[in-house]
Amino acid sequence: MAYNPFRNFWLKAIAIGIAVLLWFVVGGEKVVERSLRVPLEMQNLPPGLEVVGDSPGSVDVRVRGSSSVLGQLSAGDVVAVLDLSNSRAGRRLLHLAPDHVRVPFGIEVTYVGPGTLPLVLERSSTKVVPVVASVEGDPAAGYTVARVTIEPTEIEVEGPESALRQLTQASTEPIDLDGTTMSVRETVTIGVPNSAARLRSPRSARVFVEIAPVRTERTLATVPVRMLNLRGGLSAQSAPSNVAPSADRRLEGVRRRVHRTRASVNHDQMSITLFGTDGVRGRAGTAPLDQVTIRRLGMALVKALPAASSPPRLLVGRDTRESGAWIERDLALGARSCGAEVVSAGVIPTPAIAHLTRSQEFSAGLVISASHNPFEDNGIKVFSGGGEKFTEKLEAEVEAIVADRSWEAPGGDAPPVPLIDEAEAYLAHARAAMNGRIPAHAKRVAIDCAHGATYELAPRLLRSLGFDVTATGCAPDGRNINLACGSTHPEGLARLVVERACDLGIAFDGDGDRAIFVDHTGRIVDGDAVIHLCATQMQATGRLRGNTVVATVMSNIGLEIALRDRGIGLIRCPVGDKYVMEELLRDNLSLGGEQSGHIIFPDLLFTGDGIVTALSVLRVMAETGRPLADLAGELRTFPQVLVNVRVREKRDWTAIPVVARAASEVESKLAGRGRLLVRYSGTETLLRIMIEGERQDEINAWAEQIAAAVRTEIGQ
């Protein structure tokens, strides 16, 4: 058949026209270049070899393309790939060329640097090492650690040969014994101190720490004279009533019993415990938050501050509880009686006080709040002049001063505290977390301020940044703080996000130092997911110092596994953001937090900050161009259940047979397929039961099994 060049002529003409049009559109667009810092991925590492030492996690590249294409680039679109398939053990120099950089279509790589990367490759090996239980803090006065048992006692690790030669043991995540009088039984994660080594298979250890009274002795210089076996109708009186024995008698036994032995007692000095895991907490109006103790605490805080040439300057802030105002007045009265100058920032988030104390050079900052607790409770948190929470050493010093009964607190009415308005200074600091990046795809935001300290500042800040804000929990009346709202009750916010078609939701707690999120589908995003998405992005942009983050024993084991898969280490610490901060400062790290939503970015502030956390999550969304649901979905967590049982007393649960037996049965059922953590709250009369396992229905039933035993024996 003869070829007909005019067959389908009009279709060909249209195709040519479209091609010419596209050529003019693309060819007429300005070509630009852009410099990027992009992640470096190492692929095809030969079996039996490992990269050791400080290998680069990112490289510099320069790309060229049309302005529209480069303008749509986001983190993760450009990745440098180093192929290690032909590598051998030893010190190697590997070349990195522009064709090793993966870019979207239409973009040209013009430069990558450094062009040569030094790497050290070592052969892998395995080793069996003993497992040692790690404990932190000291039991309460009069108690000691009697014995520690752990199962398993040994574990197999793997890693580079040089790392295993130096490795002598594996250890558990720390178990907090500070101030306890009860034995502790916990299932905790096993880890190794050398980040180059790892467990062949992740598993947990069952640790039992027996706490027992200290045996002590005491010398009695005098003893009372008592009359025994007098016959009916007779009476007798001894003169003197106390006598010196012919020789000093030394009594030995359990400390609490020996110290009850009658002898001379110094009533001018007594022992007192005020500080818990997050400052002073209690029911407002009753000890330790009664008027006299609060005034004594204000005086003791000033006395404990380092000596200075000028009078101490204290900054006070509070949340919206009805008891906050009078506690503020009494605390300030005590402090002023010792020469301090005291001003109040009024109702303001806790992290704002931490920032303002440091930035405006106050001697200390005081926050009157009980965080996520109900309105009947209140508390006092103390920050040093550097914006850090008081150390336990300083807390102990304050307690000793309060306990000294040789001085009295001032009486009379406490006058109001002078007010200052520094809210805008804090908000300007918080805006830095965004780094000027606003997510174009996440403009509709719902927030729940828990009728607490963020009720005015959080909506104001987000609206000033251009977000369309739907706010709830912003009508405090002194008694509705945290009442079925906020970060501890995000279900209502989840419904609001879906009903209003919002892009995400943010729930704060009563004092604004934590935040929990909700994605656009109504799914709740906790602190573990926030740590994971922030760590991943900070690593990709070269901001994750040490390639390590800090979390507590309450974080899901899935977080540890997900971070490890990305080459990010995890340090666990006891519950409490002050312990997270201690680890961050010790190792100069840049991210840490708690599953509950306390997230710390120490480059900005030395304490958890719900508003800064919210802006940091929005920044990740802006930099990646991805919705929160997508980012949070990268973390696969083991099913977890946390049951809180209110108790009438904090007895050693391991010494209660019914409870201990229920916990032991659950541990045997988990058998390495999850973990059990049973601990008392540091701020409330609650026993917390946390279980992680493979099936939600199983762990729910097991948690309820333990909770039922607790309610039967010591439930309130």
Side-chain angles (χ1 to χ4, degrees):
M1 179 183 293
Y3 172 72
N4 182 5
F6 296 101
R7 185 181 181 186
N8 298 323
F9 173 82
W10 289 111
L11 290 177
K12 294 176 181 179
I14 292 171
I16 292 172
I18 292 174
V20 171
L21 180 63
L22 287 175
W23 184 86
F24 275 105
V25 170
V26 175
E29 192 171 1
K30 184 179 179 181
V31 175
V32 297
E33 289 194 355
R34 180 178 173 187
S35 295
L36 300 170
R37 185 78 174 171
V38 303
L40 173 66
E41 290 184 2
M42 299 184 189
Q43 296 182 354
N44 303 321
L45 182 66
L49 287 183
E50 296 196 27
V51 178
V52 298
D54 294 326
S55 58
S58 58
V59 295
D60 295 312
V61 301
R62 191 162 184 81
V63 295
R64 177 188 294 146
S66 67
S67 57
S68 62
V69 173
L70 291 189
Q72 295 175 5
L73 272 183
S74 61
D77 289 343
V78 182
V79 179
V81 179
L82 195 60
D83 187 355
L84 303 178
S85 56
N86 296 320
S87 300
R88 309 184 311 277
R91 296 182 180 274
R92 303 294 172 213
L93 289 176
L94 301 177
H95 294 293
L96 190 64
D99 59 351
H100 294 151
V101 181
R102 189 169 63 229
V103 294
F105 178 77
I107 295 177
E108 176 189 5
V109 179
T110 61
Y111 166 81
V112 59
T116 304
L117 298 175
L119 290 182
V120 179
L121 302 176
E122 279 189 17
R123 292 184 176 85
S124 300
S125 185
T126 61
K127 182 179 182 179
V128 175
V129 296
V131 181
V132 177
S134 174
V135 297
E136 288 185 348
D138 297 316
Y143 291 83
T144 189
V145 176
R147 89 188 146 95
V148 178
T149 60
I150 186 170
E151 173 61 35
T153 58
E154 293 182 329
I155 197 165
E156 188 175 16
V157 297
E158 62 181 3
E161 291 176 338
S162 61
L164 295 192
R165 282 195 296 269
Q166 300 173 10
L167 189 66
T168 59
Q169 66 181 39
S171 59
T172 67
E173 57 191 327
I175 297 172
D176 185 19
L177 303 181
D178 191 43
T180 187
T181 60
M182 300 171 289
S183 297
V184 177
R185 188 189 304 273
E186 289 188 8
T187 301
V188 290
T189 302
I190 302 173
V192 289
N194 189 329
S195 59
R198 58 197 174 276
L199 306 183
R200 290 209 70 181
S201 57
R203 65 173 300 185
S204 300
R206 292 188 292 275
V207 180
F208 175 70
V209 183
E210 182 181 349
I211 304 298
V214 174
R215 296 188 65 83
T216 187
E217 59 183 32
R218 184 179 180 189
T219 300
L220 301 181
T222 62
V223 295
V225 176
R226 294 181 181 175
M227 304 295 179
L228 303 177
N229 301 321
L230 288 173
R231 295 181 180 178
L234 297 179
S235 64
Q237 184 175 1
S238 170
S241 58
N242 291 281
V243 298
S246 57
D248 284 348
R249 303 297 183 188
R250 301 182 74 84
L251 301 183
E252 182 177 342
V254 174
R255 180 174 181 179
R256 64 173 180 266
R257 294 178 180 172
V258 172
H259 278 236
R260 289 176 184 165
T261 305
R262 293 176 62 87
S264 61
V265 178
N266 179 9
H267 292 285
D268 291 331
Q269 188 76 27
M270 61 177 288
S271 174
I272 186 170
T273 299
L274 293 172
F275 291 91
T277 57
D278 196 16
V280 180
R281 287 280 178 92
R283 187 62 58 97
T286 63
L289 292 180
D290 58 291
Q291 184 183 75
V292 173
T293 306
I294 291 170
R295 294 183 179 189
R296 290 180 67 84
L297 179 60
M299 299 174 70
L301 289 168
V302 176
K303 293 181 179 184
L305 290 173
S309 57
S310 57
R313 297 172 60 243
L314 305 186
L315 176 64
V316 186
R318 53 189 169 86
D319 65 20
T320 57
R321 294 164 210 272
E322 63 181 12
S323 59
W326 70 260
I327 292 176
E328 179 183 77
R329 292 194 298 270
D330 283 317
L331 190 65
L333 178 65
R336 283 197 295 257
S337 72
C338 289
E341 299 175 3
V342 185
V343 294
S344 171
V347 173
I348 197 167
T350 289
I353 293 295
H355 167 68
L356 294 171
T357 298
R358 180 175 64 174
S359 64
Q360 302 196 10
E361 299 182 351
F362 283 92
S363 307
L366 311 175
V367 177
I368 300 163
S369 173
S371 189
H372 58 282
N373 288 17
F375 88 92
E376 297 93 343
D377 294 340
N378 217 323
I380 300 171
K381 303 179 185 183
V382 187
F383 293 92
S384 71
E388 306 168 26
K389 287 189 176 178
F390 256 30
T391 64
E392 293 181 354
K393 180 180 179 181
L394 275 172
E395 289 176 348
E397 186 176 344
V398 170
E399 289 174 343
I401 296 171
V402 173
D404 181 0
R405 295 296 171 177
S406 64
W407 56 274
E408 296 294 333
D413 294 335
V417 184
L419 277 171
I420 62 171
D421 184 1
E422 294 294 341
E424 194 52 48
Y426 161 68
L427 293 180
H429 163 77
R431 287 188 185 95
M434 288 290 290
N435 196 32
R437 303 296 297 270
I438 306 296
H441 58 290
K443 287 291 190 178
R444 293 177 58 84
V445 179
I447 62 173
D448 182 348
C449 295
H451 302 299
T454 61
Y455 82 95
E456 194 272 329
L457 295 187
R460 185 211 299 185
L461 175 61
L462 289 171
R463 286 173 179 140
S464 74
L465 291 170
F467 291 97
D468 179 5
V469 179
T470 299
T472 185
C474 296
D477 63 9
R479 295 193 167 203
N480 60 357
I481 186 171
N482 300 313
L483 183 61
C485 60
S487 63
T488 53
H489 299 280
E491 302 82 10
L493 178 65
R495 290 192 296 270
L496 183 64
V497 167
V498 174
E499 290 169 1
R500 301 290 180 89
C502 294
D503 298 303
L504 78 157
I506 308 164
F508 302 102
D509 69 334
D511 72 331
D513 64 354
R514 72 173 78 177
I516 292 293
F517 296 82
V518 176
D519 69 22
H520 72 280
T521 69
R523 188 169 69 95
I524 294 169
V525 178
D526 66 11
D528 281 355
V530 172
I531 292 172
H532 181 263
L533 68 90
C534 286
T536 300
Q537 181 62 11
M538 290 172 71
Q539 181 193 48
T541 54
R543 295 183 292 125
L544 189 66
R545 286 195 301 275
N547 236 24
T548 302
V549 301
V550 179
T552 75
V553 295
M554 295 300 289
S555 281
N556 193 282
I557 196 170
L559 173 63
E560 187 172 340
I561 295 170
L563 291 174
R564 185 173 63 239
D565 289 344
R566 291 184 174 270
I568 300 174
L570 176 68
I571 297 174
R572 288 189 184 262
C573 65
V575 174
D577 64 340
K578 71 177 181 180
Y579 299 115
V580 174
M581 190 64 230
E582 286 175 2
E583 292 293 338
L584 291 171
L585 290 175
R586 180 179 295 116
D587 295 329
N588 189 30
L589 304 177
S590 50
L591 176 64
E594 300 185 273
Q595 189 184 60
S596 59
H598 282 116
I599 311 296
I600 301 178
F601 300 89
D603 290 343
L604 291 172
L605 199 60
F606 293 149
T607 188
D609 187 331
I611 289 177
V612 165
T613 300
L615 298 183
S616 298
V617 169
L618 288 166
R619 174 179 177 174
V620 174
M621 295 171 65
E623 291 179 343
T624 61
R626 299 166 63 189
L628 179 59
D630 190 14
L631 293 165
E634 290 188 347
L635 176 63
R636 177 185 174 274
T637 59
F638 278 45
Q640 183 186 80
V641 61
L642 176 62
V643 176
N644 294 322
V645 182
R646 193 162 293 280
V647 296
R648 60 179 179 271
E649 56 178 332
K650 292 185 177 181
R651 285 169 53 194
D652 180 1
W653 66 269
T654 64
I656 305 173
V658 175
V659 179
R661 185 165 55 251
S664 179
E665 290 174 359
V666 170
E667 282 187 329
S668 64
K669 292 173 182 175
L670 287 169
R673 296 179 293 112
R675 63 182 186 130
L676 167 67
L677 180 63
V678 181
R679 57 180 289 273
Y680 284 107
S681 166
T683 60
E684 299 179 82
T685 53
L686 296 174
L687 183 69
R688 305 192 191 279
I689 303 160
M690 190 277 288
I691 305 179
E692 291 172 351
E694 294 176 330
R695 291 179 48 189
Q696 190 71 57
D697 56 343
E698 283 185 341
I699 62 175
N700 286 348
W702 295 340
E704 186 53 40
Q705 175 184 336
I706 299 173
V710 173
R711 294 188 190 101
T712 300
E713 298 298 314
I714 54 174
Q716 194 175 80

